[in-house]
Structure formats: structure tokens, C-alpha cells
Amino acid sequence: MELYSLTIHQLKEFLHKKEVSVLEVTRAYLERIKEVEPQIDALITITEEFALQRAKEADEKIKNGEAKDLTGIPVIIKDNISTEGIRTTCSSKMLENYVPPYNATVVERLLEEGAVILGKSNLDEFAMGSSTENSAFKTTKNPWDLSRVPGGSSGGSAAAVAADEAAFALGSDTGGSIRQPASLCGVVGMKPTYGLVSRYGLVAFASSLDQIGPFTKDVTDCAIVLNTIIGHDPMDSTSLKIDKPDYTSYLKEDIKGLKIGVAKEFFSTGIEKGVKETVQKAIKVFEDLGADIIDISIPYLEYALPAYYIIASAEASSNLARYDGIRYGHIAKNYEDLIDMYMTGRSEGFGKEVKRRIMLGTYALSSGYYDAYYKKALKVRTLIKNDFERAFEKCDVIVGPTSPTVAFKIGERTNDPLAMYLADIYTVSVNIAGLPGISLPCGLSDGLPVGLQVIGKHFDEGRIINVAYAFEQANKFNAKPQAIGGAR
Ligand code: GLN
């Protein structure tokens, strides 16, 4: 048994019983990172010194009987989540040397519990993409097959957890950026209900869609991390005041009589045969567990992708206006006047996909096109929300595939933005409706992981965890990524 291959709940037991020290655990992970990083390239920054210092503090906490769930647990944070004193690049030249003066609320909560931050993970620039190839610094490889992408935009976080570089990681999900890479890397990833987790300190992409969530090795760990990161935050006006449930109390195997909705629209054209068959087998598992499978329909789902790319780009074009070299961002060396300074700085600092989104978004918001594009997309958003509401009158959760394909080859879609956008076809509607969703591994197709998506009602994360846990127990996913020696 290697320390780095353990789950949070396993590590916690060893730590609380003082069978290992946090320092030993941290060193084991730092070694693991050194061993696999040359192949995986999941990380932008490794915070070795900070981690060792935090480890010593966590050991003190345990010694003094102050240990909590995440005390001494190693974590990696997506590099668009602010960390005080630690570079936060968003994988963009624009923020190459940006060091935030404060922590995101989620980071603050992890540190309060005594978690050990090992580093910051790679992403598609400003979280725009589905493969992590849009990073200005490096391309992360999928630990299951190094010639393939880990998904995106939180590909670094997903790959890091799959390759045992951390016990868990944080990512952000605007249109699928936690669930899709979790699916492609064979780990668990959850996007909570909009408003459940504070966005304070998350670098904004599309503020009405963005949510932070965990990547973990199993569903139990997902519940543990969720317990820590959720809750009202006065610094985020969209974070909601709700009673904090204990999500671990939903780790039950019984789902008898539960109504599980399956929408035919989630099995539309473009889905790979292997993915479809694996997900259908998963649905059979729910039947065997005594759940009722109910046919439902989300008729407007076919418009989710175009609506998403208009809304997300419109919000991005406005959010990214702050990178003008004065308030934030790269400053051009040579320029003639103020306008030229903005133009040159932004031309040099932003990559191709980010520029494409800014142009799309600005166009959709410009007078004369606003009604035709942006306003229409908002109307579609309402229709999709209504579709889900109607569906949830008939069922408790909805299950389907997370991604229409398994991990695709590096370079395969980089010249075809539309092919890249299609990777999000089953995830964006969940953000559009503000719902919670989890992806968990349900099998392999051609030796690559397939993700099962479970979507719940607003703030029904507990139910999602219940369903996902029941499935996980009945359908143990024991396969390990082999491309890095399979040492798990
Ligand atoms: N792949 C989607 C996009 O490029 C979603 C990104 C995300 O969730 N951050 O916009």
C-alpha cells in the first residue's frame, strides 16, 4: 500500500490514529508528484515549502486533539482559484506573474481545517475549453493514455487526482469543467447547486454559471469535501443562506423505490457506442438495486449548447474587460497611446480561444444583435430550466452519460472549435439550470473510463450522494490508470 493511493477517509483514519504523520503523508505525495509530473504535466506551481510547513502545523493540531476531517489531507487547487501569496495564473500569459493578496473563501475553509496545499493545477486559459490544451503553459496528459487529453477545463485537477498527485482537488465548473474531466480521467467530480459554494476569489469566467467543486477518488470523499467548502459567504452575494447538512449521512446503499429519470435526449447522435452501452449497463444496476427507472424528456436540451456559448461568452466578454494592464494583467512593453496600450497588452496576453469568446460575447451583446442572440439565449435558458422542473415532478434524480465520448487524442479537436464545444453537450444544461451534478466512473470503453452523470434538484446534493454511493458500492470501479505504471 502506498500512502498516495489512499482516499481521504482512509488517510484520515491513519492520521487520527497517529499511525502516520502528516509530514510523512506530505512527503510521500511530493515524491509522487516528482515521479509522475514529467509525464502528466498537471501542475503549474508546486508549493513544496508551504506544504511542508502546513504539514507540521497539521501534525500539531492532531497532537492537540484538534483534528478535523481534512486535517493533514493533501489537496491541489485549480489555478483560477485565488491563493494568498501563491501565483494564480489562470493558465494565461495575462496573469503569468499575478500573486493574489487574499485567499478564495474555499481555500480559506480548507486551510482552517488544516488541509495541505501541494500546488496549483493547469487549466484551459481562463477555464475556456474542454481539453486543457488551451493553457498558455503546458498540455496536461491523461494518466490512462498519455496521448490523450484529460478533458477540461479543470484537466490538471482531474489528472492530478487520477495520478495520485493529491488526495483530492478543487476545480470550477461553468459548463462541465469538473464533470467532463472527471469522466475522462475516471475520478469523481461534482458541480454543486449554483449558490451553494462561495465564488469569492474564483477568477470570474461566466458569473451566472460558475461554481467551485471537488475532485475525489470516491463518493465518500466527495461528501467529506463538500461538508467543508459549502455555506453562506457574505463576500459572495449569490451564495445562499441554507442550513448546512452533513453530506456523509447520505452515504447509504438503499435506493429502493427511488425514481431515476432517464432522458432520451441524453443519448442523442454523437454519443460513442461504448459510452452508450456502458451507461446503459449502469442504469441496469440501478434497476437491480430496486430503483424505478422512469422515461423523461428534456425537449429543449438540443438548444442548451448554443444558448450556453452565447451566455457564457457574453458574460466572459464583460468579466475579462478588467485585464487592461492597469487594473489587472499584462502590460505591453511598447505602445503609442492609451488605446494602443490596451490593444497591444490584450493581444499579447490573451490566447486564441479567449479572444474568440470575447469577440463572440461582445457581438452577442452589441446593439442590434442583443435581442437576436443574448436575449434569445436567456429565453432558452428559462425553457431549459422549466424542462428540468417538469422532469423533476416525475423523478428524484436524472442519470445519463457525462460526456458523449471517452478521452480524445491530444490535437484532435484543436483546430475545430465546434467539435471541442460538443464535448459539453451533456453538461452545460445543468449549469444553465443551476442544478447540481456529479460524474462518477461507471466502467471502461476501449480501456478508457466512462463517466456516469447524476443530476439532482436544486440543493439536493444529499440525494445525489446517496444515489452515487449506492451505485459505487454495487459496481466497484477498481481499474487504475496504467500509463504511469498503474502504481495505485
Ligand atoms: N468547456 C466549456 C467551455 O469551454 C466549459 C468550461 C467550464 O466549465 N469552465 O466553456
Side-chain angles (χ1 to χ4, degrees):
M1 176 211 70
E2 301 288 354
L3 283 173
Y4 54 71
S5 66
L6 300 176
T7 60
I8 298 175
H9 53 101
Q10 290 167 332
L11 268 176
K12 185 183 134 186
E13 264 208 57
F14 283 115
L15 287 170
H16 288 204
K17 284 191 194 148
K18 303 194 183 64
E19 283 172 23
V20 286
S21 69
V22 180
L23 205 57
E24 282 171 289
V25 171
T26 307
R27 287 208 174 110
Y29 271 99
L30 289 168
E31 274 304 306
R32 174 68 175 171
I33 288 174
K34 280 194 192 121
E35 183 191 330
V36 299
E37 245 329 79
Q39 299 172 74
I40 306 291
D41 276 325
L43 305 180
I44 301 276
T45 305
I46 302 170
T47 53
E48 180 162 352
E49 243 175 77
F50 180 59
L52 292 170
Q53 177 213 327
R54 293 280 311 168
K56 285 179 197 146
E57 288 165 20
D59 271 328
E60 274 305 299
K61 274 193 178 174
I62 294 174
K63 216 171 87 191
N64 298 337
E66 295 161 4
K68 302 219 179 90
D69 281 350
L70 297 180
T71 309
I73 306 292
V75 56
I76 282 167
I77 313 275
K78 187 177 181 181
D79 213 18
N80 62 348
I81 300 177
S82 302
T83 39
E84 184 182 348
I86 302 169
R87 204 162 66 111
T88 299
T89 66
C90 291
S91 290
S92 177
K93 285 200 188 105
M94 200 44 119
L95 292 176
E96 190 162 5
N97 301 309
Y98 172 61
V99 178
Y102 67 99
N103 280 323
T105 299
V106 285
V107 171
E108 205 53 53
R109 293 202 169 140
L110 293 183
L111 291 177
E112 266 166 32
E113 279 229 4
V116 175
I117 296 178
L118 299 176
K120 304 291 299 284
S121 58
N122 195 25
L123 62 146
D124 286 298
E125 185 175 5
F126 284 102
M128 296 172 191
S130 311
S131 68
T132 317
E133 291 164 293
N134 294 336
S135 165
F137 305 125
K138 49 170 75 172
T139 296
T140 301
K141 286 88 183 170
N142 191 314
W144 291 81
D145 176 346
L146 300 175
S147 69
R148 292 176 190 269
V149 302
S153 65
S154 318
S157 288
V161 173
D164 288 332
E165 295 183 62
F168 74 106
L170 290 187
S172 66
D173 190 314
T174 305
S177 278
I178 293 175
R179 290 158 291 152
Q180 185 258 13
S183 168
L184 271 44
C185 289
V187 296
V188 175
M190 180 186 258
K191 180 205 96 77
T193 307
Y194 185 78
L196 188 69
V197 177
S198 167
R199 290 183 293 113
Y200 181 66
L202 168 68
V203 178
F205 162 12
S207 310
S208 78
L209 302 162
D210 299 340
Q211 266 292 285
I212 294 172
F215 286 94
T216 55
K217 292 179 188 175
D218 67 11
V219 178
T220 304
D221 282 4
C222 177
I224 293 173
V225 179
L226 214 54
N227 273 351
T228 301
I229 62 172
I230 69 151
H232 176 65
D233 175 13
M235 299 305 281
D236 172 5
S237 59
T238 60
S239 89
L240 285 151
K241 279 192 184 134
I242 55 150
D243 288 335
K244 272 183 132 191
D246 174 7
Y247 292 108
T248 60
S249 68
Y250 292 91
L251 296 166
K252 294 184 191 131
E253 286 170 42
D254 185 15
I255 53 164
K256 266 196 205 77
L258 206 80
K259 295 193 186 79
I260 295 192
V262 176
K264 57 178 182 305
E265 292 87 358
F266 277 101
F267 295 87
S268 56
T269 43
I271 188 168
E272 276 174 6
K273 196 164 161 269
V275 172
K276 193 173 174 178
E277 285 170 2
T278 312
V279 172
Q280 276 165 345
K281 260 190 226 149
I283 294 169
K284 184 79 186 36
V285 172
F286 287 118
E287 246 182 311
D288 295 345
L289 288 170
D292 293 335
I293 307 298
I294 315 261
D295 283 333
I296 53 148
S297 175
I298 311 284
Y300 285 105
L301 197 79
E302 62 172 308
Y303 301 110
L305 208 57
Y308 166 81
Y309 275 94
I310 289 174
I311 295 167
S313 304
E315 292 185 24
S317 73
S318 150
N319 273 328
L320 270 55
R322 74 191 67 172
Y323 304 103
D324 55 9
I326 296 174
R327 286 171 294 176
Y328 288 99
H330 163 82
I331 310 177
K333 276 207 182 68
N334 305 307
Y335 51 86
E336 280 164 14
D337 54 20
L338 187 64
I339 298 293
D340 189 38
M341 186 190 104
Y342 292 154
M343 287 192 1
T344 314
R346 283 167 70 85
S347 301
E348 291 171 355
F350 287 137
K352 211 161 111 191
E353 182 61 26
V354 175
K355 286 178 186 158
R356 183 180 291 125
R357 304 285 177 109
I358 294 174
M359 284 191 279
L360 270 172
T362 310
Y363 184 76
L365 288 174
S366 58
S367 76
Y369 297 101
Y370 183 93
D371 284 355
Y373 295 108
Y374 184 65
K375 215 168 153 193
K376 196 160 189 181
L378 289 185
K379 286 181 181 165
V380 172
R381 184 174 195 167
T382 306
L383 292 172
I384 291 169
K385 263 191 198 156
N386 294 346
D387 271 359
F388 275 108
E389 256 163 47
R390 234 169 278 132
F392 278 127
E393 283 168 12
K394 293 196 203 149
C395 61
D396 302 300
V397 293
I398 297 171
V399 303
T402 307
S403 154
T405 69
V406 291
F408 46 92
K409 290 267 184 195
I410 290 172
E412 195 182 298
R413 300 191 189 176
T414 35
N415 292 324
D416 186 350
L418 283 183
M420 191 66 92
Y421 295 173
L422 281 171
D424 307 317
I425 192 150
Y426 300 136
T427 48
V428 293
S429 60
V430 174
N431 302 71
I432 285 181
L435 298 167
I438 199 173
S439 178
L440 72 158
C442 65
L444 296 176
S445 167
D446 291 331
L448 294 165
V450 175
L452 175 74
Q453 184 172 211
V454 183
I455 305 166
K457 299 174 187 172
H458 290 119
F459 301 105
D460 217 4
E461 277 77 2
R463 178 64 70 205
I464 291 183
I465 283 170
N466 171 211
V467 171
Y469 181 76
F471 177 80
E472 187 184 65
Q473 296 309 306
N475 189 75
K476 289 261 184 236
F477 181 78
N478 292 322
K480 307 285 178 231
Q482 297 300 316
I484 43 165
R488 276 184 72 178

